[in-house]
Amino acid sequence: MPIATLASLPDIAGKRVLLRSDLNVPIKDGNITDDGRIRASLPTINHLRALGAKVIVMAHFGRPKGVRVPEMSLEPVARRLGELLGANVAFISEYRGGKASDAIGKMQPGDVVLLENVRYEAAETSKVDEERLLFAQDLASLGDIYVSDGFGAVHRKHASVYDIATLLPHFAGFLISAEIEVLKRLTVNPVRPYGVVLGGSKVSDKLGVIKNLLDKVDLLAIGGGMVFTFLAAQGHEVGKSLLEADQLDEVRALITQAKEAGVTLLLPTDIVVAPAFAADSPATVVAAHEIPADQLGLDIGPVSGAAFAEAISGCKTLFWNGPMGVFEFDAFAAGTKAVAQALAELDGFTVVGGGDSAAAVRRLGFRDEEFGYISTGGGASLEYLEGKALPGITVLEQ
Ligand code: ADP
Ligand code: MG
């Protein structure tokens, strides 16, 4: 069955809509540093309100693993959501076993409430189907229909993402529809040359996508913390840099596979290193194959930044996920800025994916409109590009 979108909603005036959003924003010292994901959730919420629904928003924050970690409360998010909507958003911290019935019973059409971090419940992320289903039943009892719009979480088989859709009439929100459309543009006959730039910190997470992309792209540029596993695989010393030693064979195979597929695999030739992982650690630029044993690589160097920008400028479709360096520290943000600038200047279709990458371009002063699309999904987009089925999407097709 094709996914039902908001265009096919029945009359929901006065009905309780359970909406799953992705409001997992970066928070530092209690302050939201990038509210992009909250903003991205607004069109669906406003649409449901305008139709007279009572909107009950479910979302997660971080990975509390079933424990009520106070720093992972969604309360600051409820406040920001209320500011952006220009409406009061009541925050419901207890909702299991009918505890929220009173508050929800009092809602008026157009009202919005936010439930506390669903991952405070271990059952949300449980691998045991029955445990997740029980929690989903509890959630489902709070509403009449389910709208799925938390794109950043659809690659997870979680109670509020997957199981709940098996219990209630379900629809995809505007954000999910938009994200899928963009991903289709990247996978079904992308305009060539097609380049992908990958960075960030977890190699093992992204190796799968690299493997799958090699028969689809013309250019693959690697920066960020991933670089050092590639450099080590080529026999270079990487000092104290991030290294996933158990992935070296896999990376060697990828390098060979890229050659065979005729894909340009671009790796940095110079690296910004420092003695410690700290904002004020003295930075120097070294050749990529000459990283001192007592230093670690925290950004791609200026020559590499320029080379990446040059390669990007030759593409017509460009997907970028993962910062080129530790952009959170000014001294190691130049590589990420060079890539962002190249995307902004590109006359083609550009997509920035990943929570930290989106936060990085905004922090570096770019406007959202300078890119074709800023995706709210990191893992979800990558798994889609990898060709994997996303449980939170497939369940909507049933
Ligand atoms: P995204 O959220 O965009 O998918 P990731 O979560 O994979 O990206 O990675 C983002 C993080 O990678 C950033 O916090 C950044 O500081 C870190 N990072 C980038 N380059 C390096 C590096 N050389 N060493 C350590 N961490 C790095
Ligand atoms: Mg991240």
Side-chain angles (χ1 to χ4, degrees), residues 143-191:
D144 305 303
I145 71 162
Y146 173 64
V147 173
S148 177
D149 211 28
F151 179 72
V154 290
H155 56 314
R156 308 284 185 203
K157 196 173 186 179
H158 290 170
S160 69
V161 177
Y162 174 84
D163 302 83
I164 193 169
T166 66
L167 302 171
L168 290 173
H170 45 264
F171 302 84
F174 292 134
L175 180 63
I176 291 226
S177 301
E179 295 271 7
I180 298 283
E181 203 155 299
V182 166
L183 286 166
K184 282 195 176 138
R185 256 179 99 175
L186 292 174
T187 41
V188 184
N189 299 322
V191 183

Side-chain angles (χ1 to χ4, degrees), residues 200-201 206 224-225 228 277 297-298 321-323 325-328 353-357:
S201 41
K206 301 188 184 180
F228 308 100
F277 189 96
L298 294 175
N321 169 276
V326 185
F327 71 93
E328 295 93 337
D356 291 294
S357 308

